[in-house]
Amino acid sequence: MASFHLISLGCPKNLVDSELIFGLLEQAGWVFEENPRQASMLLINTCGFIQSAVEESIDEILELSLLKQEDPGKLLVVTGCMVQRYRQELVRELPEVDLFIGTEGIQQIVAMVEALRSGTLQDKVSLPERFLMDSTMPRRISTPLYRAWLKITEGCNNRCSYCLIPSIRGDLRSRPIADLVKEAAHLEQQGVRELTLIAQDLTAYGNDLRGPVYLTALLKALLAGGSIPWLRLMYLYPSGINEGLLSLMAEQPRIVPYMDIPFQHVSDTVLKRMNRHYTGDDLYRLIARIRSFLPDVALRSTLMVGFPGETDEDVSQLEQFLREARLDHVGLFAYANESGSPSENFPHQCSEAEKQDRLDFIAGVQAEVSAGNLKRYVGRVEPVLVEGVSRETDLLLEGRTRFQAPDVDGCVYITDGTAKPGDIVQVHISEAQVYDLVGEIVG
């Protein structure tokens, strides 16, 4: 019996691709094997967005190649962003790999693997034309059954100077509203209680389609077409957030009061070099506007330090912004040069030591802010989606409030009460830590 072992690296958008690969292979009669030593095919879906992710992908490939050395009959197949980025170079660098498939080859993976097995494969590297998934494709959810990702677009029309996504994933392609509603309904039938919408830029949804197709129209259709209790929005471009979206979120409690908005920086000079289409003052005004509609909103962002030309004054502006804006969750990154991006050749590159010092400093500032922010929940009773037994100890349950996204934010440790994974229960918050909350089930 043909069996496969699948490793998925990178972001949630890449994970959805892996779930499609899993579903397509399963539909074709392949059986998943948890132990890679027992699998007849070893498959890794790679990330190629930044150099550290590329290095992680290569390490995983080399690890799997050792199993292939032990059993030369195994197939080793590599898919995803790293293949799309480096293409034919990989054939020379990784001769132990039997087949490379780019990001657009998902729907053809079964045919390509069968060609490999039968000896009729004509090219070791497959880079098909641009592709957009739809709800008819089999998808095996790998997240806990009560939550899932809904990828509403592919590609991106933004041209940030540090980013390779458009060259890897192509221009924006939005899925039709009806197709997304159909997939959401299917996920709800499987038990999903939290659906997180993802894209490279969620606010760009529909810009490539004719007619009144935009994010708020999609959200209204999802609300009308199903009853999933929590809808969450990730990857909102700052200048794309409008009052129509904020009004809808204020009116609809099923859209959780949580917004993930990658700011990247707040210094006007840095933002301009990044080719981000807003200023620091725009961000201050945006946050004020969001909170005027959603006073209890949790705001998440990502920030980058060490961009070429960044000065100590720019870092001071970041510090001031964090102290004044009091964001709830922040992902921090040090800039890394990516071959092929415009910023690779920008002057005044920061040293690695400067980047690390600035990263540590800003992380310390945000830790103070986060600890202060969480205290506002103490004494409140909040709905919590139970994830199951805590990762810290079997004596506690663990879950998340509406203000905490899966995988990237903190959690709620539940010290008393019983519940099943996927239950949404009322929890009295009794303690706030730096990034996590503690409470007990009530009622």
Side-chain angles (χ1 to χ4, degrees):
M1 183 177 293
S3 59
F4 70 99
H5 180 80
L6 173 61
I7 296 173
S8 184
L9 302 176
C11 67
K13 296 176 284 292
N14 211 42
L15 181 62
V16 173
D17 291 347
S18 296
E19 292 172 343
L20 292 172
I21 289 170
F22 194 122
L24 287 163
L25 288 171
E26 191 175 51
Q27 184 183 67
W30 287 75
V31 176
F32 177 71
E33 174 56 62
E34 187 73 37
N35 184 350
R37 291 183 181 275
Q38 303 300 320
S40 54
M41 177 170 65
L42 305 173
L43 200 153
I44 178 167
N45 190 22
T46 61
C47 178
F49 176 43
I50 55 177
Q51 189 59 38
S52 60
V54 171
E55 292 168 1
E56 180 188 14
S57 295
I58 291 173
D59 287 344
E60 290 281 359
I61 293 167
L62 294 177
E63 190 74 24
L64 291 180
S65 72
L66 296 177
L67 299 180
K68 184 176 172 63
Q69 287 179 16
E70 297 174 7
D71 180 3
K74 288 185 187 299
L75 302 179
L76 180 53
V77 178
V78 177
T79 68
C81 289
M82 190 179 77
V83 178
Q84 198 73 26
R85 178 176 177 180
Y86 291 103
R87 306 184 174 223
Q88 296 291 342
E89 290 179 43
L90 297 176
V91 177
R92 298 189 298 273
E93 299 296 328
L94 297 166
E96 49 274 273
V97 175
D98 297 297
L99 175 61
F100 296 96
I101 304 174
T103 55
E104 315 305 311
I106 292 172
Q107 80 281 20
Q108 300 177 21
I109 189 165
V110 172
M112 286 185 281
V113 168
E114 290 306 322
L116 175 62
R117 294 175 77 198
S118 65
T120 59
L121 186 70
Q122 296 184 357
D123 194 340
K124 201 173 182 179
V125 180
S126 177
L127 300 166
E129 293 299 312
R130 295 299 181 191
F131 153 78
L132 185 63
M133 70 171 287
D134 63 53
S135 60
T136 65
M137 297 182 68
R139 177 184 170 194
R140 172 59 79 92
I141 302 302
S142 59
T143 49
L145 290 177
Y146 48 83
R147 63 176 172 89
W149 310 102
L150 184 68
K151 183 159 65 166
I152 68 172
T153 72
E154 192 58 88
C156 185
N157 286 350
N158 297 321
R159 294 296 185 267
C160 303
S161 62
Y162 53 83
C163 183
L164 295 172
I165 290 297
S167 64
I168 294 173
R169 291 280 182 172
D171 290 338
L172 175 70
R173 283 117 53 216
S174 302
R175 295 173 58 188
I177 288 179
D179 187 59
L180 289 163
V181 171
K182 184 177 178 181
E183 184 179 6
H186 180 62
L187 292 170
E188 183 175 2
Q189 290 169 5
Q190 296 181 57
V192 168
R193 309 210 71 203
E194 177 184 26
L195 188 63
T196 302
L197 278 63
I198 54 175
Q200 301 299 341
D201 173 4
L202 214 64
T203 63
Y205 174 75
N207 287 353
D208 58 319
L209 300 178
R210 292 181 178 179
V213 182
Y214 38 86
L215 182 58
T216 52
L218 170 60
L219 287 168
K220 289 175 182 177
L222 290 171
L223 289 165
S227 57
I228 293 175
W230 288 7
L231 300 178
R232 189 179 298 276
L233 307 181
M234 305 286 284
Y235 313 111
L236 296 151
Y237 195 86
S239 59
I241 297 170
N242 57 41
E243 293 196 358
L245 174 61
L246 298 175
S247 294
L248 182 64
M249 293 183 68
E251 295 164 4
Q252 297 290 343
R254 286 170 54 201
I255 307 176
V256 297
Y258 179 102
M259 302 182 81
D260 171 48
I261 315 168
F263 296 148
Q264 306 304 357
H265 216 286
V266 299
S267 160
D268 289 354
T269 54
V270 174
L271 288 169
K272 186 174 182 179
R273 285 196 296 272
M274 287 180 167
N275 199 32
R276 302 287 285 183
H277 306 303
Y278 49 85
T279 65
D281 284 345
D282 290 335
L283 295 180
Y284 280 104
R285 285 191 291 267
L286 173 63
I287 290 171
R289 189 161 69 249
I290 291 171
R291 287 177 172 152
S292 71
F293 281 88
L294 302 163
D296 210 25
V297 70
L299 294 176
R300 175 179 180 80
S301 191
T302 51
L303 295 170
M304 182 189 301
V305 297
F307 193 78
E310 182 188 63
T311 64
D312 289 341
E313 170 58 26
D314 296 326
V315 178
S316 295
Q317 289 183 38
L318 264 184
E319 177 193 7
Q320 180 182 356
F321 176 80
L322 289 176
R323 295 193 186 282
E324 293 184 16
R326 306 201 65 79
L327 303 177
D328 298 271
H329 312 284
V330 177
L332 295 170
F333 302 91
Y335 168 80
N337 256 339
E338 296 301 324
S339 178
S341 66
S343 61
E344 176 190 15
N345 300 311
F346 283 4
H348 310 300
Q349 298 278 336
C350 297
S351 71
E352 294 305 314
E354 282 179 312
K355 294 176 190 177
Q356 192 59 52
D357 286 347
R358 291 171 181 181
L359 188 69
D360 293 342
F361 172 68
I362 294 298
V365 171
Q366 180 55 32
E368 293 176 26
V369 172
S370 178
N373 283 348
L374 284 183
K375 290 177 182 177
R376 76 176 187 263
Y377 297 112
V378 175
R380 287 167 49 167
V381 175
E382 286 290 340
V384 169
L385 176 63
V386 177
E387 302 260 34
V389 175
S390 172
R391 291 164 290 183
E392 299 296 323
T393 171
D394 291 346
L395 300 177
L396 302 176
L397 292 175
E398 188 173 305
R400 288 176 293 103
T401 66
R402 299 167 299 161
F403 310 109
Q404 297 165 316
D407 298 339
V408 291
D409 297 333
C411 68
V412 180
Y413 294 113
I414 302 172
T415 59
D416 191 30
T418 59
K420 302 187 300 297
D423 287 349
I424 296 177
V425 298
Q426 298 298 312
V427 173
H428 176 261
I429 305 299
S430 58
E431 181 185 341
Q433 301 175 348
V434 176
Y435 298 111
D436 304 309
L437 297 167
V438 179
E440 57 279 337
I441 297 174
V442 296

